Amino acid sequence: MRPGLVLLPLIAASVAACDGGLLSTGDEPAEFPAPDRPVSGIGTYSIDSEDQRDSRGEAQTVMDLAELEPGMTVADIGAGNGYYTLRLAKRVGENGRVLAQDIDGDALARLGRRVERQRLDNVSIRRGEPADPRLPANSFDRVFMVHMYHEIEQPYEFLWRLWPSLREDGQVIVVDKDRPTDQHGIDPLLLSCELERVGYELVAFKDAPELLGYYAQFKAAATRPEPGEIEPCRGDSVAHEAPPIERPTKREKA
């Protein structure tokens, strides 16, 4: 067996070790603002089957827009059963790496079995925390969050802890629906506001029917604010109160 292959017993042990409570991040306690908006429940929203998603070219479209190339290192946040994990692994190839992350231990166990069956040497699995993706610093060319951002209970802390994981020129990819946050979506203006408050800049935006929503791409800004300096966006009202903006398309700078 090749060294990179994920072994199910190791995955199960890792998941079991987390069940007793949240792991320490090693950081000093910090005060982050709560979001001024509802949060969708986890696991209450179903999406189409993998075959249906493939028939629309969903993953292919996202990876093309993200300019994902062989050899890149990527993270799949909220990986679930692994729809994106498997396709990302194929795209980055044997010289690339995929870290599949989720807070659901059962989902990770199922994904681990799937990874083992398909002998995906370039995939590793890690359990995250609701407010911390627990990603290694300076490690990722792309971080994907597909149809899950609206479920993050503490988005400002989560995004703040995600920021150091990006390499130079690393990007965060968000795919979501343009609908209220308690209906499994988020207005793209509100999404942009929340990421910008934590130290990200919008790089590209595209309405994409094949994604059943929109595609947004961000990069890390030059600096990241201290937790106490973060001012929360004003909920779903931001879309109505903010002046109209021209949403950038691919390769247009925000």
Side-chain angles (χ1 to χ4, degrees), residues 35-80:
D36 181 27
R37 59 168 175 81
V39 175
S40 290
I42 297 176
T44 58
Y45 172 63
S46 62
I47 55 179
D48 291 341
S49 70
E50 294 193 5
D51 287 343
Q52 290 173 311
R53 298 172 81 174
D54 281 343
S55 70
R56 293 194 303 268
E58 178 186 329
Q60 186 69 36
T61 297
V62 170
M63 293 187 294
D64 288 347
L65 289 170
E67 298 182 335
L68 195 63
E69 299 177 354
M72 283 186 169
T73 298
V74 303
D76 181 15
I77 305 299

Side-chain angles (χ1 to χ4, degrees), residues 179-227:
R179 57 170 59 168
T181 51
D182 57 355
Q183 297 178 31
H184 299 281
I186 183 168
D187 185 284
L189 289 173
L190 178 56
L191 174 74
S192 295
C193 180
E194 292 187 349
L195 272 88
E196 289 169 0
R197 295 290 172 90
V198 186
Y200 299 84
E201 297 177 1
L202 180 64
V203 174
F205 180 89
K206 177 180 173 61
D207 286 310
E210 63 270 35
L211 307 183
L212 299 182
Y214 61 83
Y215 170 99
Q217 185 168 327
F218 299 85
K219 67 177 182 179
T223 60
R224 178 181 60 162
E226 294 299 320

Side-chain angles (χ1 to χ4, degrees), residues 83-211:
Y83 172 73
Y84 270 89
T85 297
L86 273 60
R87 289 152 181 82
L88 292 169
K90 182 178 180 180
R91 182 70 168 256
V92 301
E94 62 181 12
N95 293 324
R97 296 291 299 173
V98 178
L99 175 62
Q101 184 263 32
D102 207 295
I103 63 173
D104 185 336
D106 291 337
L108 290 181
R110 291 192 297 271
L111 177 55
R113 291 190 289 269
R114 194 173 185 186
V115 166
E116 186 176 9
R117 284 196 304 271
Q118 298 197 23
R119 298 185 61 83
L120 298 177
D121 297 33
N122 60 349
V123 174
S124 56
I125 294 175
R126 172 175 294 189
R127 186 168 183 175
E129 299 177 7
D132 187 352
R134 298 187 59 79
L135 301 181
N138 192 31
S139 297
F140 296 97
D141 301 295
R142 301 288 186 270
V143 174
F144 292 85
M145 295 189 285
V146 181
H147 292 299
M148 57 77 63
Y149 181 84
H150 51 265
E151 297 179 352
I152 301 174
E153 296 181 5
Q154 301 174 59
Y156 298 107
E157 181 173 359
F158 187 94
L159 293 169
W160 191 88
R161 298 191 185 282
L162 172 66
W163 193 90
S165 72
L166 294 175
R167 291 175 172 169
E168 184 177 1
D169 298 326
Q171 311 277 303
V172 174
I173 311 301
V174 179
V175 176
D176 222 315
K177 289 179 176 286
D178 185 357
R179 57 170 59 168
T181 51
D182 57 355
Q183 297 178 31
H184 299 281
I186 183 168
D187 185 284
L189 289 173
L190 178 56
L191 174 74
S192 295
C193 180
E194 292 187 349
L195 272 88
E196 289 169 0
R197 295 290 172 90
V198 186
Y200 299 84
E201 297 177 1
L202 180 64
V203 174
F205 180 89
K206 177 180 173 61
D207 286 310
E210 63 270 35
L211 307 183

